[in-house]
Amino acid sequence: MLNIALVGVGTVGGAVADILEKNRALITARAGKNIRVVKGVVKNATRQRGDLGFPLTTDYREVVEDPAIDVVVELMGGVDKAFEIVSAALRNKKAVVTANKAMLAYHRYELEELARDLPFMYEASVAGGIPIIRALRDGLCANHIESIRGVINGTCNYMLTRMFDKRVSFDQALKEAQGLGYAEADPTFDIGGFDAAHKLLILASLAYGIDAKPNDILIEGIGHLTDEDIAFAEEFGYTIKSLAIAKKVGSKVSLRVHPALITKKEVIAKVEGVMNGVAVVGDKVGETFYYGAGAGGEATASSVIADLIAIARGETTPMLGFSYGFDSQLTLAAKDDITSKYYIRILVEDVAGVLAQTAAVLAKNNISIETVLQRKKRVKKEWANLLLSTHIARETDLIGALHEIAELGFVKAPPAMIRIES
Ligand SMILES: NC(=O)c1ccc[n+]([C@@H]2O[C@H](COP(=O)([O-])OP(=O)(O)OC[C@H]3O[C@@H](n4cnc5c(N)ncnc54)[C@H](OP(=O)(O)O)[C@@H]3O)[C@@H](O)[C@H]2O)c1
């Protein structure tokens, strides 16, 4: 028997309890023992929830201090309180399963130190139902990981898919996502790129042994994208995805989340709607790809239960994929240490010499133009959007050039830029 406590019996916790019951025979056969929910911890114990089949409490000490409980399954979310509860569980020698990417983004190394030889599993924290943690920690562990590129925020991907397929505006796409329950009332966390960044940091620890926090990496949301950007992308065979990217170059690893133009031929460009996809390149295996539901109670619970089964089977895997105390020789690249092709959008007064002067500033900053398009902006007939793409350039050069371009007399708004991922 494996006795567990659910700290959080909401969307995911409720689905875990439900699936453990509905698939009990199968799960017991696979785990080699019965997995039983002994108690649940919630915020509001008086709320009507139907017959769960186990008692509820609001005091987490009742489970972390109960010698009968083997595993504390943290499914409440948030950072500080969850960290307090999980730390207390580990101090009391409980195994832990969690789906909490926010807590892990900030505290995974402290938790690793507390856990040491105790099982600590978190498959559901990245890309919901996709076994991407297991892929990096186990399946690909003979490889140096060269890159990871993930579409790992369903809200952003749903919105971008709608903006491409139906040409709806950003605001309309957001309204639809909220209506369908894919976006929170305050969507900043998703559309600002922070949710994907938390997940990327977890993947970066497994792939590279890198301890980075959200503030250390480049995080850019999708809020500045316009219908002109979509049209440009379409015209040149690209789509736009919010990508979480980890790339190893020599002894440096670049970690970043931002919207990117990506050719439609790439597998990851085909990840649509709320689905998630992650492409991982290993030095020996080449490119591998993982696709599936990134959220939703049942898909996420599927990963939580896989972790519980692993614990029931007695699997002992180092929490972050390396033996405790591993000193990675890799270091985090600076936020602006990026070379890329770029797409640039500049709102200009439609007068003679605009392109020549813009090109001169770019050339002075070591940037050469690949393609140019000029689109009239409908709101003012004498204004136009100048849309450019560049050859590979250094990001610091590009930022410098955009600052100079913003100062040119005919430029009507700060230029916008999107990286082209190739
Ligand atoms: N939903 C998904 O699709 C999904 C996907 C991947 C990962 N996750 C992660 O899974 C975790 C849970 O998400 P969820 O969607 O299931 O959340 P949820 O539906 O809001 O449920 C949260 C649960 O935690 C309880 N809770 C909240 N604060 C608490 C506190 N201070 N003390 C005790 N209990 C508390 C709530 O109690 P009450 O019931 O009394 O309110 C509720 O039962 C989060 O870390 C989330 O990031 C979710």
Side-chain angles (χ1 to χ4, degrees):
M1 180 78 79
L2 188 76
N3 287 330
I4 72 167
L6 295 175
V7 180
V9 191
T11 306
V12 182
V16 168
D18 198 41
I19 296 170
L20 282 174
E21 219 34 69
K22 285 193 179 131
N23 288 0
R24 178 157 301 284
L26 175 90
I27 290 168
T28 305
R30 289 194 164 136
K33 51 178 84 156
N34 196 7
I35 300 175
R36 183 170 72 107
V37 184
V38 174
K39 200 172 266 187
V41 183
V42 292
K43 199 170 186 175
N44 176 2
T46 58
R47 185 188 313 160
Q48 281 305 317
R49 301 170 198 259
D51 180 22
L52 288 168
F54 52 87
L56 294 178
T57 176
T58 53
D59 182 1
Y60 76 83
R61 286 172 204 85
E62 281 186 30
V63 301
V64 300
E65 290 169 8
D66 181 349
I69 287 169
D70 305 305
V71 189
V72 170
V73 185
E74 185 276 303
L75 300 169
M76 60 178 263
V79 178
D80 296 340
K81 191 72 183 171
F83 178 58
E84 178 187 321
I85 296 173
V86 169
S87 301
L90 292 170
R91 283 196 196 93
N92 287 323
K93 303 293 170 210
K94 310 288 181 206
V96 167
V97 174
T98 180
N100 189 334
K101 58 230 160 196
M103 175 183 72
L104 292 170
Y106 288 95
H107 294 298
R108 62 201 180 283
Y109 283 88
E110 291 149 274
L111 292 169
E112 183 201 28
E113 190 163 344
L114 279 174
R116 297 286 180 102
D117 296 330
L118 289 165
F120 191 118
M121 309 269 185
Y122 49 96
E123 184 62 72
S125 65
V126 181
I130 307 174
I132 185 64
I133 304 283
R134 215 161 290 268
L136 282 169
R137 203 184 51 198
D138 303 334
L140 303 179
C141 63
N143 291 257
H144 289 286
I145 303 300
E146 292 176 349
S147 68
I148 301 172
R149 291 189 304 177
V151 170
I152 49 178
N153 183 273
T155 309
C156 284
N157 205 47
Y158 173 81
M159 289 174 61
L160 290 172
T161 302
R162 294 291 296 159
M163 288 165 76
F164 260 87
D165 288 357
K166 296 290 172 208
R167 291 300 164 88
V168 305
S169 68
F170 178 88
D171 291 340
Q172 178 62 29
L174 177 57
K175 214 178 280 173
E176 286 180 15
Q178 284 170 328
L180 289 162
Y182 299 150
E184 306 285 334
D186 175 3
T188 322
F189 198 65
D190 288 314
I191 63 177
F194 305 105
D195 170 77
H198 287 169
K199 296 167 181 167
L200 178 66
L201 292 171
I202 296 169
L203 298 182
S205 287
L206 290 158
Y208 305 107
I210 283 202
D211 179 8
K213 301 282 188 291
N215 277 345
D216 302 330
I217 71 168
L218 184 133
I219 305 173
E220 206 178 276
I222 61 169
H224 60 290
L225 300 178
T226 66
D227 48 356
E228 275 107 339
D229 303 334
I230 305 287
F232 177 93
E234 195 74 72
E235 187 147 348
F236 289 94
Y238 294 111
T239 185
I240 300 179
K241 295 285 174 201
S242 173
L243 289 184
I245 300 170
K247 258 190 199 156
K248 182 166 89 68
V249 181
S251 63
K252 298 267 183 207
V253 177
S254 167
L255 299 179
R256 47 200 161 97
V257 174
H258 55 72
L261 285 132
I262 184 159
T263 61
K264 287 187 174 174
K265 283 183 284 186
E266 295 225 31
V267 186
I268 203 159
K270 299 176 182 24
V271 178
E272 302 221 309
V274 284
M275 299 307 277
N276 280 197
V278 186
V280 183
V281 179
D283 65 340
K284 300 304 168 208
V285 71
E287 183 168 48
T288 59
F289 191 77
Y290 310 85
Y291 172 85
E298 291 205 327
T300 309
S302 155
S303 287
V304 171
I305 295 172
D307 283 347
L308 288 168
I309 292 174
I311 292 171
R313 285 170 172 168
E315 283 181 23
T316 49
T317 314
M319 176 190 160
L320 295 174
F322 296 97
S323 304
Y324 177 75
F326 166 72
D327 181 16
S328 174
Q329 300 300 305
L330 300 169
T331 54
L332 188 65
K335 280 187 196 183
D336 59 1
D337 187 7
I338 298 172
T339 53
S340 176
K341 293 167 87 170
Y342 294 89
Y343 154 85
I344 307 168
R345 166 170 39 86
I346 315 168
L347 183 61
V348 295
E349 203 173 335
D350 197 5
V351 292
V354 163
L355 181 57
Q357 286 187 63
T358 305
V361 174
L362 290 170
K364 194 176 88 175
N365 286 279
N366 311 309
I367 296 156
S368 65
I369 295 173
E370 188 173 76
T371 53
V372 180
L373 262 185
Q374 189 157 327
R375 291 261 184 267
K376 293 278 185 215
K377 178 127 182 119
R378 272 157 277 137
V379 281
K380 258 190 176 238
K381 71 175 187 325
E382 66 275 25
W383 290 5
N385 260 322
L386 184 58
L387 310 175
L388 308 165
S389 72
T390 75
H391 290 287
I392 286 189
R394 284 161 42 102
E395 183 133 331
T396 42
D397 289 341
L398 187 94
I399 301 290
L402 294 186
H403 280 129
E404 278 186 50
I405 289 169
E407 298 302 314
L408 297 172
F410 52 78
V411 173
K412 296 297 166 197
M417 157 281 264
I418 308 175
R419 298 167 191 87
I420 300 175
E421 180 63 22
S422 52

